[in-house]
Amino acid sequence: MPALEITHRFDWDTFVARYWNQRPVLFKGTGASPFTAEDTFEAAASATRHYLSRSYASNSRPEITFTVDRLRQLFAREWLPQAKDGSLDGYDARLAARLGEQRYALIVSSLHSFSHLLWSRERDFFSELWRRVGLPQSGGITTLFHGTYESSPVGVHMDRFTTFLFALRGRKRMRFWARRPWREDVSTILDYQPYLKSSFVAEVEPGDILYWPSTYYHVGENTGTGVASSVNVGIPISGHPPLFSVDDLLRGMLDETSLAEQQWKQTRLARVKASPLDRGAFENKGVLSARLPRALAEAVEAFHDVSAPQEAQRHIQATWMKRLSAGGFEPVPAPARTRRLRDSQRIRVDSRFPVLFERDGARQWLCAVNGHALRGIGGGKTVETLFQRLNTGRAVSVGELIQPFRARHTATHDADIIAATRDGMRSLLEKLHTFRSITLTP
């Protein structure tokens, strides 16, 4: 049985050399964690708002799972964290009054997508790891585990992710097996009592960071001391063939059905408006018409549009730039509301996470920041200079940045082009501000 190594100092060079994808390690009370209970609660409450706005359809994929005594609650509204709870402590108190001694588990996946503050601190923390081992092309996953559950609802299992556990509140025990302890042809088990002797455990408490490679079977356990909260970050290591990346690129062009309604209306595929019902399809005595139904014809036309070589190249280019600027954690938080920027306002960009920019095949600029991309930016060297000035990290006024550009621009029929004018560049800066790349300074 392997022994768990425990250390009180965290640094990335030592971690990569001794532990990365090799063996579990527990970092005790290092203060290195990027997560706080306050930020985590705000992200969880935001996830609740998003969850309640989604469909309850059986084929939907909600980011929140809630169980009571291992039974998943299909309608979980009353059990989820809400802003009025004020904190995780307030949330726990509300549930305790309702559930008494019943054990519960709250699991929130894609937690980073619901809070820019939490996401940005997480990206900052892991950027040092990516510099040493490389950026995960499919991105890491961030999951909140919270509750009084006796053991993980899914039981003993092995992930395709190498995992960091950041303990926030309470005490938790993680139990590990270096190899699968059972012989049955199943991927998980709930009753693992017969296999305890071959396991080893890690006891974690607030401030600890626990790491284990993807090759270890594991299960989380409650130590019996009340509510425990942790954030797990999984990084794909095995079982992720290159085909997944191709599928991901195609989905970005074609499968936009998971977008919110307002986002969907802004896509080019939204122009497929024909009814899916085809009158007269069964009236030709088995002889098919030479013409496709209108809905299929429009879909084929839209597919042809987005998959044309030049358009596909732009899409792939923008997708890669978004992924780089997302820092390994997608989906990223939604943009903020647009705010008018005045000439006198001074702005700056964090030089550690600059605006990525380059030319596309049409000799226009595209840029990406914080996991968002803008395409079709017109202009030449002056636009490049604007990006370079932003990326120095020094504060500069909006008026000074846009002054080199023309005051007006000849009318164009292409509404998707951001013109290289003062108004166009102000609009560009306002977009970067909604992406939270630009901050206002005194």
Side-chain angles (χ1 to χ4, degrees):
M1 183 190 314
L4 176 73
E5 189 165 344
I6 300 175
T7 180
H8 295 269
R9 182 175 179 272
F10 183 90
D11 75 84
W12 285 117
D13 287 332
T14 302
F15 170 79
V16 170
R18 290 179 57 87
Y19 309 112
W20 172 248
N21 216 29
Q22 298 177 54
R23 58 183 182 273
V25 58
L26 176 60
F27 297 95
K28 295 290 296 181
T30 64
S33 172
F35 302 105
T36 68
E38 293 76 17
D39 296 343
T40 300
F41 169 75
E42 291 180 7
S46 177
T48 294
R49 292 192 295 272
H50 185 262
Y51 170 85
L52 296 178
S53 70
R54 298 286 294 272
S55 167
Y56 286 107
S58 59
N59 62 348
S60 65
R61 293 178 294 176
E63 295 84 2
I64 300 182
T65 300
F66 191 89
T67 64
V68 177
D69 289 339
R70 288 193 178 277
L71 297 178
R72 180 172 178 174
Q73 305 301 297
L74 199 56
F75 300 99
R77 175 186 293 266
E78 61 181 314
W79 308 119
L80 304 183
Q82 300 177 20
K84 64 183 180 182
D85 293 323
S87 65
L88 286 174
D89 287 335
Y91 171 59
D92 295 340
R94 176 165 64 85
L95 289 192
R98 296 289 302 276
L99 292 174
E101 297 300 316
Q102 290 180 286
R103 292 181 178 269
Y104 68 90
L106 169 71
I107 302 174
V108 182
S109 59
S110 297
L111 184 72
H112 61 257
S113 67
F114 300 105
S115 167
H116 178 77
L117 180 59
L118 182 143
W119 171 85
S120 60
R121 288 177 176 173
E122 182 177 9
R123 178 186 62 166
D124 189 15
F125 179 82
F126 280 98
S127 65
E128 293 300 322
L129 177 60
W130 308 151
R131 289 189 179 98
R132 292 163 172 83
V133 302
L135 179 76
Q137 290 193 26
S138 62
I141 60 173
T142 313
T143 308
L144 169 64
F145 291 90
H146 175 89
T148 59
Y149 54 92
E150 188 173 359
S151 60
S152 301
V154 297
V156 179
H157 61 287
M158 182 175 69
D159 299 320
R160 62 184 178 89
F161 300 92
T162 187
T163 303
F164 292 82
L165 181 154
F166 299 88
L168 299 178
R169 298 164 68 252
R171 297 177 62 88
K172 179 179 288 188
R173 178 186 302 116
M174 291 299 301
R175 186 176 296 275
F176 297 99
W177 290 262
R179 58 187 59 84
R180 190 171 75 172
W182 63 87
R183 295 183 178 180
E184 295 82 2
D185 188 20
V186 293
S187 58
T188 66
I189 57 169
L190 293 176
D191 180 15
Y192 55 89
Q193 294 301 314
Y195 312 108
L196 293 181
K197 287 186 178 180
S198 60
S199 69
F200 63 97
V201 300
E203 301 274 354
V204 296
E205 54 190 357
D208 292 352
I209 302 174
L210 175 64
Y211 166 81
W212 66 90
S214 59
T215 53
Y216 280 75
Y217 285 82
H218 58 278
V219 65
E221 299 177 342
N222 191 294
T223 61
T225 57
V227 185
S229 311
S230 67
V231 174
N232 288 19
V233 175
I235 301 165
I237 290 294
S238 59
H240 190 89
L243 181 62
F244 284 14
S245 298
V246 176
D247 182 64
D248 185 43
L249 288 172
L250 290 176
R251 283 181 181 274
M253 288 191 289
L254 306 174
D255 183 11
E256 295 169 322
T257 56
S258 62
L259 295 176
E261 184 176 0
Q262 278 304 115
Q263 293 173 299
W264 164 253
K265 289 179 179 178
Q266 298 171 15
T267 67
R268 288 161 297 152
L269 298 188
R271 73 170 186 235
V272 182
K273 299 182 182 300
S275 168
L277 299 177
D278 185 31
R279 292 185 178 275
F282 290 99
E283 297 174 4
N284 294 323
K285 298 182 179 180
V287 180
L288 293 177
S289 170
R291 299 180 62 183
L292 282 173
R294 183 182 170 193
L296 289 180
E298 288 188 2
V300 169
E301 183 182 350
F303 176 85
H304 182 271
D305 179 28
V306 300
S307 61
Q310 188 177 54
E311 183 60 29
Q313 174 62 36
R314 293 177 190 168
H315 167 75
I316 293 169
Q317 189 178 6
T319 298
W320 176 236
M321 292 176 69
K322 286 196 294 184
R323 181 145 299 162
L324 286 176
S325 66
F329 295 100
E330 298 175 276
V332 297
R337 292 181 179 179
T338 302
R339 176 178 175 179
R340 179 73 174 175
L341 294 179
R342 302 186 305 274
D343 285 356
S344 60
Q345 289 179 302
R346 294 177 64 78
I347 59 177
R348 65 179 297 271
V349 165
D350 186 342
S351 59
R352 297 174 304 161
F353 302 103
V355 180
L356 306 180
F357 63 95
E358 63 184 26
R359 290 284 198 178
D360 66 12
R363 302 306 296 166
Q364 295 163 358
W365 293 100
L366 60 85
C367 70
V369 67
N370 290 351
H372 302 281
L374 287 173
R375 293 169 43 177
I377 305 169
K381 184 69 175 179
T382 315
V383 174
E384 181 178 6
T385 301
L386 180 144
F387 285 133
Q388 290 172 340
R389 291 192 66 183
L390 283 174
N391 287 342
T392 64
R394 294 191 292 269
V396 60
S397 72
V398 172
E400 185 179 348
L401 276 173
I402 67 175
Q403 193 278 330
F405 295 88
R406 297 189 302 273
R408 292 183 178 84
H409 180 66
T410 304
T412 176
H413 296 294
D414 194 341
D416 294 330
I417 298 295
I418 300 176
T421 64
R422 291 174 192 169
D423 285 344
M425 292 302 103
R426 188 191 307 277
S427 175
L428 171 64
L429 295 175
E430 288 169 354
K431 277 288 188 181
L432 296 179
H433 187 236
T434 69
F435 299 158
R436 300 182 178 86
S437 168
I438 282 177
T439 56
L440 304 181
T441 63

